Amino acid sequence: AQSVTQLGSHVSVSEGALVLLRCNYSSSVPPYLFWYVQYPNQGLQLLLKYTSAATLVKGINGFEAEFKKSETSFHLTKPSAHMSDAAEYFCAVTGGGNKLTFGTGTQLKVEL
Amino acid sequence: SAVISQKPSRDICQRGTSLTIQCQVDSQVTMMFWYRQQPGQSLTLIATANQGSEATYESGFVIDKFPISRPNLTFSTLTVSNLSPEDSSIYLCSVDRQGAAEAFFGQGTRLTVV
């Protein structure tokens, strides 16, 4: 079985500041991990994914995440926040199958 | 990638009625997934729909409440029956590509039950 914990349901950063969204996972098998973004009134868009290749994964819009097995973490970062990054972010895990288990989401607010 | 068209994008329905949501994919896929996103919450998988067989429902979801059709490899419908205000949610259709290790999502259907 898999589960995901996202620490912080709301995160607020200043424009230009570092974005760090935390995700910890639990999986009984080697996991595949994902970050999705959801803009208001829209579906989910994949930011990046880890599928057992490189542990540092680069995604779209300048986001990246590092898979750390020892910490069971897959935190999402972006060096410099932009106003357009304001959205809800979901971490998700699958055990290599098709069913995604999602975290509870983190609402990112970017302030001037 | 996969392009998923979901209809309707939103609806307001009366208690006791039903809403059928359609999901059309631009290419053939084996599995289609239906998720529910309740207000302020994360996504929960309702069921997996395979063409030619009964949908597989997750714990807490039953066919009588959420009947699903999957008539071909590019289309599925989810019906939410006997609506109550607790059914007010966003419902999302999702597919994955064999070997892509990635799920693609429709835009979602925002249902409000009054």
Side-chain angles (χ1 to χ4, degrees), chain A residues 24-101:
Chain A
N24 288 90
Y25 71 91
S26 173
S27 179
S28 55
V29 298
Y32 288 1
L33 292 154
F34 307 82
W35 275 100
Y36 284 87
V37 60
Q38 186 178 36
Y39 297 102
N41 300 315
Q42 295 189 28
L44 274 71
Q45 179 183 7
L46 181 70
L47 278 177
L48 49 79
K49 63 183 178 184
Y50 166 78
T51 57
S52 76
T55 56
L56 181 62
V57 181
K58 295 187 184 298
I60 62 171
N61 302 337
F63 284 94
E64 64 181 39
E66 186 172 8
F67 172 71
K68 291 186 177 181
K69 184 178 179 180
S70 61
E71 299 177 8
T72 61
S73 69
F74 191 58
H75 301 329
L76 182 70
T77 60
K78 181 174 181 178
S80 178
H82 191 272
M83 296 296 289
S84 61
D85 295 326
E88 185 143 27
Y89 292 79
F90 292 96
C91 183
V93 64
T94 178
N98 305 97
K99 296 182 184 179
L100 284 168
T101 299

Side-chain angles (χ1 to χ4, degrees), chain B:
Chain B
S1 65
V3 177
I4 302 172
S5 174
Q6 198 173 325
K7 295 180 182 179
S9 59
R10 58 179 63 232
D11 206 342
I12 301 173
C13 299
Q14 296 290 325
R15 293 181 194 221
T17 64
S18 298
L19 176 70
T20 295
I21 303 167
Q22 299 179 2
C23 181
Q24 179 76 51
V25 189
D26 66 341
S27 59
Q28 294 182 344
V29 292
T30 304
M31 290 182 168
M32 297 178 77
F33 305 88
W34 288 98
Y35 287 85
R36 181 177 72 182
Q37 185 180 19
Q38 294 178 298
Q41 298 189 30
S42 188
L43 285 79
T44 302
L45 181 64
I46 297 171
T48 303
N50 293 325
Q51 193 268 335
S53 63
E54 292 280 336
T56 303
Y57 289 83
E58 298 299 306
S59 176
F61 298 96
V62 295
I63 187 171
D64 289 348
K65 176 69 174 177
F66 298 98
I68 288 171
S69 77
R70 183 77 200 276
N72 57 53
L73 291 173
T74 63
F75 187 79
S76 177
T77 66
L78 168 74
T79 299
V80 188
S81 304
N82 190 23
L83 290 168
S84 69
E86 292 71 35
D87 295 319
S88 297
S89 296
I90 298 173
Y91 293 86
L92 295 113
C93 170
S94 173
V95 304
D96 65 5
R97 285 233 186 269
Q98 192 72 19
E102 177 180 344
F104 301 92
F105 288 84
Q107 297 286 71
T109 296
R110 184 179 295 273
L111 169 61
T112 302
V113 182
V114 297

